[in-house]
Amino acid sequence: LIRSINDPEHPLTLEELNVVEQVRVKVNDAESTVAVEFTPTIPHCSMATLIGLSIKVKLIRSLPERFKLDVHITPGTHASEHAVNKQLADKERVAAALENSHLLEVVNQCLSARP
Amino acid sequence: LENTDPRMRGRGIQLLSQVLLQCYSLLQEKEVLHLVLFYENRLQDHHLVIPSVLQGLRALSMCEVLSPGLAVSVLRAIFQEVHVQSLLQLDRHTVYSIIINFMGSREEELKGLGADFTFGFIQMMDGEKDPRNLLLAFQIVRDLIAKNYALGPFVEELFEVTSCYFPIDFTPPPNDPHGIQREDLILSLRAVLASTPQFAEFLLPLLIEKMDSDLQSAKLDSLQTLTACCAIYGQKELQEFLPSLWSSLRREVFQTASEKVEAECLAALHALSACLSRSVLSCDTEDLLDSFLSSILQDCRHHLCEPDMKLVWPSAKLLQAAAGASLRAYHRVTSIVLPLLLEQYTKHSQSSQRRTLLEMLLGFLELQQKWGLVEEDESSLLSLRASICSVVFSALTDPSVQLQLVGIRALTVVGSLQGFLSPSDLELVVDHLIRLTLHEDSQSSEAAMEAAGSLAPIYPKVFSGHMVPRLEEELQSVSFSECEEESSRDHCSLQQRCLQALAAVSTHTSIVKETVPVLLQHLRKVQKGSEAGNTQGMVSVCQSLHRVALQCQQDAEGCWYYHQTVVPCLLAMAVQAAMQESAHPLLGKALIEEEVLAAMVPVISAATTHLSPELAVQSVSHVVPLFLDGEVSFLPQNSFPCSFQPFEDGECFDAQRRLVALLMAFVCSLPCNVAIPQQERLLRELLALSCSCNCPFTATTAAKCFAGLVNKHPAGQQLDEILQLAVNRMEPSLAEGPRRMQALTLLLWVTKALVLRYHPLSSHLTDKLLGLLSDVELGPAAADGFSLLMADSPDVLHKGCHADVRIMFRQRFFTNNVPKLVQGFHGAGPDVKANYLKGLSHVLNHLPKPVLVTELPTLLSLLLEALSCSDRVVQLSTLSCLQPLLFEAPQIMSLHVDTLVTKFLSLTSSPTMAVRIAALRCAHALTSLPTTVLLPYKARVIRALAKPLDDKKRLVRKEAVAARGEW
């Protein structure tokens, strides 16, 4: 579901950039949990929140409601890891971000299939 | 005409003008002169009269006997007396028509007016707003320029008066009866603007300005106009504007998100480069092409060194667009870019970066194909040969499959440049291809086969000398070591790949002659083997043989060789196997299993369709007696234990009868003008077999063979007799008895044969079929038969095997039978209603989409009813019918959006997986309707689509994710 998400600033997908990897995705169907760790390309990557948000939105749209989602940065790979994780875990902030039409457009662009 | 009330006067003139419009061709020269003078004079009359006066002048402008000088004086009078832009649209239209008429018939006279004519016209059209009139006005301007009227000092004015409409921004009103589209105006204005280099100094700044516009349509229009202009401009016109044109194009390609804009920019750059390449150089002027390309190279080359960044592809595309315009441009660009890319390839070691670099290199090499290797290239491209080859070979050995794939494509391009590869390189190429062909990864294996197929005709000796023996060796070694249990699956797929590769490389007659014996030998060996898996083995040999047949069809020599070698061999093997089975029914030979016979059908059919008639006659004189009289003498190894009598009655001949499939493959694929010996007897035997045989495979095959022959049978008494015979046999067994199913199959195939050729009996048979829809036992099968009637059948009765297929037979069938189906549906009992719907949806499914869209409004309610039908076949075929319509007829579908949403969503929980998938695809397709129509349903659909996200089937979940994401 998330391998084909486009990077906001490279012409490549998250899989091709090794931002998401299969070993860092944990799915537990019985307990209905999904945990995704993603690795920003550089520790100061300013797009980390946007990438996380894209992953989160894609999963919200594509997974049954019973799943609890946890999207966070691979520990030790980003300067402001804690802050970003906190933002992504905050339901209200995610919802508010998606009310912003400009931000939604950017997220949709990342999620759209590559031509 | 002399009444003092202007209204009355106007009506008088109107009457006169109407009369003239009816009879202008009958007028004499003198009468015309008199009338013209009268009308010219009336132009000074009251404004209420003017419209009728203009009508009269229009009638007179169409007279052939108009004496010299009158056209000019009429125009002068109009320019002088009439203020055109204060007239109504219709009257302005009349004035333009008068001018067009005169320009068509009195060109010389009008040119005598000189620039005055141009000036008069400019004043006249200034301020025109109506699209109908603009189309005429643009046409006049185009003719002014194209026919060399004197423009005098008014070039800029003429440009101003037309360019003010650029870019066209016009949306036709709904229900516009005039049918003028935006596109019409755009094209006719573009024809004006791009008609003369004299406009260049005014037009180019305008285009540059509009390229910077925010409106995408304005951008596209400017770029397309620029491309059109480049066809007639030269260096002189472009020189001054090249830097700003380039910077605009570059900005658009680097920044745009729209593919359309990018494509148009590249087309414009290509046109610019081509235009500059065309001009002749004199020794003292600067070479503009050179400096233009230098600036492109300067802006783009550093991006090529950063294969990870976004600008790498836009830069490569710009360079390729410019380089593709001419050989000179190509040399200029590649002499810098190719060495750079090769150097970067060695500098970067990650395979994703290398892939990007190699793909760009490939793009430039592909451009070279356009010109082939030319003498003077020796210095540039050939000097890079060693490094290009080493880069390509290194890609082929890279562990990354993606890089390998690009490497294989590059190999194909490099190989197709005649004389580029040295013999030793070539051997290396073949070695690489063999290795990759047998590689485990199916993607690179397939790509390597494809490459081998396209290179083989260029170097047939190398491939037949190296590749074929290696593959044969591999094939044999694999078959010998089959006893090892655990590795047999690997071997099986290796064997498959060998067979596929042998077929893929057979693209040249000399290679075909090597590979076909290898394949046939292998088939014999598999047949002798005893393992359970050998059915599959034989099917794959047949598939390879089929591929070879398709590849050598176009070549007469190869085709005849193939036919002569393969057809008798297959027949002999099949006949022998059938006889062995007749003797020992329990042994069961895999070769004549239905699956294997079905795989042989396309082989024989493809080997026969492209035979020349003379050779086909030769072949048919052997094959038909084989089946009718057991004449086996032409088969290789023809010592058989008993006689071959496929049409004899008797239990023990079941196996022999199945071989009718091979007869069908042969006789139904013959060219139409080949006479079949003993055709009447053959048809009778086939008819008897199809009605009496208990084995469904044999009965169906015999019916198909009968239908295939009937379809090509010349019309006449003989055909009528044989058809009457068929109807007489079918009707009683359709009514009752144990063989109703066989009779229905025969009915379907014969109906299809006749529907295709518009035979008069076809309507009788179709009515019979429609009648069967209400039959409880045969109804469902008859309904499915409609799909057989409308679809292309893969083995007989299609264009490829020379069947008589009339164009639009589907539309004809639709108009004749759909009303009956609808009527039958309304009158049918509840238990058979589904049959009618199923039949209808089959017919609609195969109908060309444009026809369907026009018939949609009347049929849609029925289709929506069909969605509520509980039969899953009906649901499925209705859904697959509706899905494309959502894209093609959004307006009509929007009217029913409420019903559609409800039905689709409820079908997403159908117990049948295929229906769930189709319903989700339709729900996905709904998103192509206008947003305003969809918004009210958004929340409901998104909520409803959450459920199939948790479906137990993966394929359903996949569709659900796609649909919900889009919503």
Side-chain angles (χ1 to χ4, degrees):
Chain A
L1 295 177
I2 55 175
R3 67 198 294 179
S4 58
I5 298 176
N6 298 317
D7 185 275
E9 50 181 9
H10 294 276
L12 299 168
T13 62
L14 296 189
E15 186 190 33
E16 287 167 322
L17 290 167
N18 289 328
V19 172
V20 291
E21 289 165 287
Q22 193 160 11
V23 291
R24 303 196 185 283
V25 177
K26 304 269 183 299
V27 179
N28 188 333
D29 194 21
E31 292 177 15
S32 296
T33 57
V34 172
V36 178
E37 287 183 346
F38 67 99
T39 318
T41 43
I42 45 166
H44 290 283
C45 180
S46 58
M47 294 289 165
T49 329
L50 184 59
I51 294 175
L53 185 64
S54 302
I55 297 175
K56 186 127 193 177
V57 170
K58 178 74 188 181
L59 292 178
I60 291 175
R61 288 179 184 172
S62 313
L63 287 179
E65 281 160 20
R66 64 188 166 93
F67 281 97
K68 180 168 167 43
L69 305 175
D70 176 22
V71 176
H72 59 265
I73 295 181
T74 313
T77 58
H78 196 265
S80 44
E81 180 189 328
H82 184 63
V84 175
N85 286 346
K86 205 169 161 190
Q87 280 192 15
L88 287 174
D90 189 337
K91 269 188 191 163
E92 309 256 306
R93 291 189 73 168
V94 170
L98 295 182
E99 306 264 305
N100 177 336
S101 66
H102 176 65
L103 198 53
L104 188 63
E105 193 184 330
V106 176
V107 169
N108 277 337
Q109 218 163 47
C110 292
L111 298 186
S112 66
R114 236 194 312 181
Chain B
L1 293 179
E2 290 179 352
N3 197 303
T4 46
D5 178 12
R7 267 173 237 280
M8 283 309 281
R9 228 166 39 242
R11 289 173 66 179
I13 296 181
Q14 189 183 8
L15 176 62
L16 178 63
S17 299
Q18 293 296 338
V19 171
L20 288 178
L21 276 171
Q22 301 294 323
C23 67
Y24 61 87
S25 55
L26 308 173
L27 296 176
Q28 308 280 327
E29 191 174 339
K30 267 197 172 155
E31 295 162 347
V32 175
L33 176 68
H34 189 72
L35 285 165
V36 166
L37 291 177
F38 168 72
Y39 273 107
E40 269 181 21
N41 179 263
R42 286 298 93 196
L43 280 174
Q44 296 163 358
D45 202 342
H46 193 273
H47 70 92
L48 282 174
V49 181
I50 297 293
S52 310
V53 175
L54 290 171
Q55 283 296 341
L57 283 171
R58 185 165 77 90
L60 293 170
S61 73
M62 290 187 280
C63 286
E64 283 174 24
V65 292
L66 200 69
S67 38
L70 282 185
V72 171
S73 83
V74 168
L75 283 181
R76 271 190 203 281
I78 291 178
F79 289 155
Q80 224 161 49
E81 307 295 343
V82 188
H83 185 242
V84 177
Q85 285 311 320
S86 57
L87 297 176
L88 290 175
Q89 183 269 332
L90 187 68
D91 305 322
R92 301 200 301 272
H93 194 271
T94 312
V95 178
Y96 292 120
S97 306
I98 295 174
I99 297 186
I100 288 181
N101 290 338
F102 281 146
M103 284 175 85
S105 57
R106 318 271 146 184
E107 191 179 325
E108 285 312 312
E109 287 178 41
L110 298 198
K111 280 185 178 165
L113 263 173
D116 286 354
F117 176 51
T118 315
F119 181 67
F121 177 71
I122 290 172
Q123 284 199 317
M124 203 179 97
M125 84 165 276
D126 196 5
E128 180 60 61
K129 275 195 208 73
D130 192 277
R132 288 162 283 181
N133 292 347
L134 278 176
L135 277 181
L136 292 187
F138 291 154
Q139 187 196 334
I140 296 174
V141 181
R142 195 168 62 225
D143 284 348
L144 277 178
I145 295 165
K147 295 193 174 149
N148 264 326
Y149 283 81
L151 303 185
F154 303 114
V155 176
E156 189 170 358
E157 277 80 2
L158 191 60
F159 175 77
E160 289 298 335
V161 84
T162 45
S163 68
C164 60
Y165 301 100
F166 183 86
I168 297 278
D169 180 24
F170 164 69
T171 327
N175 313 321
D176 177 26
H178 308 289
I180 294 179
Q181 295 297 318
R182 194 162 161 256
E183 205 55 26
D184 301 329
L185 283 167
I186 289 181
L187 288 178
S188 65
L189 177 59
R190 183 174 306 150
V192 169
L193 294 179
S195 61
T196 170
Q198 294 181 68
F199 284 166
E201 54 176 319
F202 317 113
L203 179 59
L204 288 171
L206 178 70
L207 291 180
I208 293 169
E209 182 195 321
K210 296 296 174 193
M211 265 185 246
D212 301 356
S213 143
D214 287 333
L215 270 177
Q216 177 163 334
S217 61
K219 267 182 197 170
L220 288 174
D221 200 359
S222 324
L223 290 164
Q224 283 162 350
T225 308
L226 176 61
T227 310
C229 287
C230 285
I232 55 155
Y233 285 3
Q235 291 224 25
K236 192 175 69 148
E237 285 79 22
L238 289 173
Q239 184 161 22
E240 191 187 335
F241 302 98
L242 280 177
S244 30
L245 281 170
W246 163 239
S247 73
S248 291
L249 289 173
R250 185 190 55 201
R251 190 199 54 229
E252 288 307 316
V253 174
F254 280 177
Q255 291 177 1
T256 185
S258 145
E259 271 177 74
K260 250 193 186 156
V261 173
E262 186 192 78
E264 290 303 337
C265 281
L266 295 176
L269 183 61
H270 182 95
L272 275 174
S273 173
C275 173
L276 293 175
S277 310
R278 258 199 322 269
S279 45
V280 183
L281 284 183
S282 61
C283 50
D284 52 343
T285 53
E286 180 199 1
D287 181 2
L288 273 184
L289 177 66
D290 196 62
S291 54
F292 183 58
L293 292 175
S294 300
S295 59
I296 298 179
L297 280 164
Q298 198 192 346
D299 290 341
C300 291
R301 59 179 292 180
H302 57 277
H303 293 303
L304 298 185
C305 308
E306 298 164 333
D308 280 339
M309 301 312 285
K310 267 202 158 157
L311 289 182
V312 64
W313 271 111
S315 306
K317 284 179 188 164
L318 282 168
L319 285 168
Q320 284 165 1
S326 71
L327 193 54
R328 199 148 63 91
Y330 180 75
H331 280 304
R332 177 76 177 85
V333 173
T334 49
S335 64
I336 292 177
V337 171
L338 287 185
L340 178 75
L341 287 174
L342 292 168
E343 179 199 313
Q344 289 298 317
Y345 185 90
T346 41
K347 264 193 194 162
H348 290 87
S349 55
Q350 278 187 26
S351 55
S352 65
Q353 298 168 332
R354 289 187 152 193
R355 179 181 141 205
T356 311
L357 289 164
L358 188 59
E359 270 184 339
M360 291 191 283
L361 186 69
L362 177 66
F364 285 102
L365 291 175
E366 271 170 351
L367 290 177
Q368 172 82 52
Q369 274 182 316
K370 219 159 88 177
W371 294 288
L373 270 188
V374 198
E375 293 284 312
E376 58 176 306
D377 285 351
E378 299 208 1
S379 50
S380 62
L381 195 57
L382 288 185
S383 63
L384 295 173
R385 177 167 74 190
S387 30
I388 291 180
C389 284
S390 79
V391 160
V392 173
F393 291 150
S394 91
L396 292 178
T397 47
D398 195 275
S400 150
V401 173
Q402 295 306 318
L403 184 52
Q404 278 178 19
L405 290 178
V406 185
I408 294 172
R409 271 164 55 206
L411 196 64
T412 318
V413 175
V414 170
S416 62
L417 293 173
Q418 283 283 355
F420 180 76
L421 292 174
S422 69
S424 60
D425 285 336
L426 209 53
E427 273 177 33
L428 216 51
V429 166
V430 174
D431 285 343
H432 275 297
L433 284 177
I434 296 171
R435 183 179 55 79
L436 288 167
T437 302
L438 304 176
H439 196 266
E440 302 91 48
D441 185 88
S442 64
Q443 265 183 309
S444 39
S445 160
E446 259 167 46
M449 288 182 203
E450 208 60 47
S454 53
L455 290 181
I458 312 178
Y459 313 101
K461 284 219 180 82
V462 188
F463 278 87
S464 66
H466 279 72
M467 193 155 180
V468 178
R470 273 287 303 282
L471 289 171
E472 186 182 357
E473 218 172 89
E474 203 71 38
L475 196 59
Q476 275 165 358
S477 69
V478 173
S479 342
F480 278 125
S481 59
E482 252 167 341
C483 35
E484 300 157 56
E485 278 293 316
E486 68 271 30
S487 58
S488 74
R489 259 209 21 230
D490 285 352
H491 277 134
C492 204
S493 61
L494 187 58
Q495 194 173 334
Q496 278 266 1
R497 277 199 295 274
C498 284
L499 291 172
Q500 286 168 0
L502 279 170
V505 80
S506 309
T507 45
H508 188 269
T509 310
S510 69
I511 304 175
V512 170
K513 288 185 179 167
E514 309 258 339
T515 54
V516 164
V518 175
L519 287 171
L520 288 174
Q521 187 58 40
H522 187 70
L523 183 62
R524 276 190 212 104
K525 213 167 64 194
V526 181
Q527 189 209 352
K528 285 194 190 111
S530 54
E531 312 90 80
N534 65 4
T535 310
Q536 192 45 48
M538 280 189 269
V539 170
S540 22
V541 182
C542 289
Q543 283 163 350
S544 287
L545 281 170
H546 181 220
R547 178 158 179 192
V548 178
L550 293 178
Q551 283 163 357
C552 64
Q553 271 175 346
Q554 299 308 324
D555 171 66
E557 187 203 338
C559 183
W560 178 234
Y561 165 80
Y562 185 90
H563 184 86
Q564 252 183 331
T565 323
V566 174
V567 173
C569 182
L570 288 183
L571 282 173
M573 286 166 74
V575 168
Q576 191 161 27
M579 283 177 183
Q580 280 170 0
E581 185 168 295
S582 313
H584 318 278
L586 292 175
L587 263 174
K589 280 290 173 190
L591 188 73
I592 48 167
E593 277 179 20
E594 287 165 15
E595 205 182 325
V596 182
L597 286 177
M600 283 187 193
V601 168
V603 180
I604 296 186
S605 173
T608 312
T609 47
H610 284 65
L611 279 186
S612 70
E614 306 82 63
L615 297 174
V617 167
Q618 203 176 325
S619 187
V620 78
S621 67
H622 293 307
V623 176
V624 173
L626 168 71
F627 280 85
L628 282 178
D629 309 313
E631 190 59 59
V632 294
S633 56
F634 86 102
L635 299 177
Q637 308 151 333
N638 55 7
S639 57
F640 296 117
C642 53
S643 59
F644 178 58
Q645 297 160 311
F647 289 118
E648 284 298 305
D649 274 337
E651 279 303 311
C652 61
F653 291 118
D654 258 0
Q656 297 194 0
R657 273 188 224 129
R658 250 179 272 164
L659 301 196
V660 171
L662 303 185
L663 175 69
M664 170 194 86
F666 179 77
V667 290
C668 293
S669 311
L670 287 168
C672 321
N673 47 0
V674 175
I676 295 166
Q678 313 185 58
Q679 186 167 18
E680 302 313 308
R681 187 177 150 211
L682 185 62
L683 282 169
R684 275 164 214 271
E685 297 281 12
L686 285 168
L687 188 59
L689 186 61
S690 71
C691 292
S692 64
C693 186
N694 285 324
C695 160
F697 176 79
T698 312
T700 310
T701 317
K704 278 158 94 171
C705 189
F706 181 77
L709 290 173
V710 161
N711 176 262
K712 287 190 218 173
H713 198 297
Q717 199 194 347
Q718 271 184 330
L719 178 65
D720 296 342
E721 275 171 21
I722 194 82
L723 284 175
Q724 197 50 50
L725 193 68
V727 172
N728 290 347
R729 286 206 67 151
M730 264 186 295
E731 281 184 346
S733 25
L734 267 180
E736 56 183 2
R739 298 218 169 84
R740 294 187 75 193
M741 216 42 214
Q742 275 96 324
L744 175 63
T745 311
L746 181 63
L747 172 65
L748 281 173
W749 282 102
V750 175
T751 312
K752 180 166 170 93
L754 298 183
V755 164
L756 290 183
R757 63 181 278 181
Y758 289 3
H759 191 278
L761 193 63
S762 66
S763 60
H764 171 68
L765 295 179
T766 322
D767 287 344
K768 194 144 215 57
L769 198 59
L770 284 167
L772 283 174
L773 285 175
S774 57
D775 186 294
V776 178
E777 192 190 342
L778 291 182
D784 282 330
F786 278 88
S787 125
L788 188 148
L789 287 183
M790 301 308 284
D792 277 324
S793 114
D795 40 11
V796 290
L797 290 176
H798 59 87
K799 276 266 184 221
C801 61
H802 311 289
D804 183 1
V805 181
R806 299 293 196 78
I807 53 167
M808 308 215 277
F809 78 90
R810 291 193 178 88
Q811 282 90 319
R812 190 171 151 133
F813 189 85
F814 173 84
T815 27
N816 288 344
N817 296 300
V818 162
K820 294 183 201 164
L821 271 172
V822 174
Q823 199 186 352
F825 169 79
H826 289 302
D831 48 341
V832 291
K833 258 190 168 31
N835 295 341
Y836 287 91
L837 280 178
K838 203 195 276 184
L840 179 68
S841 62
H842 282 312
V843 175
L844 296 183
N845 237 335
H846 292 96
L847 203 64
K849 289 294 164 294
V851 183
L852 190 49
V853 169
T854 53
E855 298 289 338
L856 195 61
T858 49
L859 289 170
L860 199 57
S861 59
L862 202 62
L863 283 173
L864 293 177
E865 195 165 341
L867 279 183
S868 333
C869 171
S870 62
D871 185 312
R872 64 196 169 82
V873 180
V874 177
Q875 290 170 351
L876 197 57
S877 83
T878 314
L879 286 172
S880 60
C881 179
L882 285 173
Q883 195 214 5
L885 292 174
L886 286 165
F887 295 108
E888 277 153 49
Q891 292 86 9
I892 306 170
M893 299 302 261
S894 299
L895 301 176
H896 299 270
V897 65
D898 195 63
T899 327
L900 289 170
V901 167
T902 316
K903 302 263 179 191
F904 291 158
L905 291 182
S906 75
L907 284 175
T908 57
S909 49
S910 151
T912 315
M913 178 173 92
V915 173
R916 294 203 297 276
I917 292 180
L920 285 168
R921 286 203 180 131
C922 284
H924 190 170
L926 276 177
T927 55
S928 64
L929 300 184
T931 319
T932 43
V933 177
L934 296 177
L935 271 178
Y937 300 93
K938 183 175 147 186
R940 179 176 152 206
V941 174
I942 291 179
R943 223 176 311 123
L945 288 179
K947 195 168 154 263
L949 286 180
D950 216 0
D951 199 278
K952 59 181 187 297
K953 289 289 187 184
R954 188 180 62 85
L955 290 172
V956 179
R957 294 199 296 270
K958 203 174 140 195
E959 295 297 338
V961 167
R964 194 162 188 254
E966 206 59 36
W967 271 90

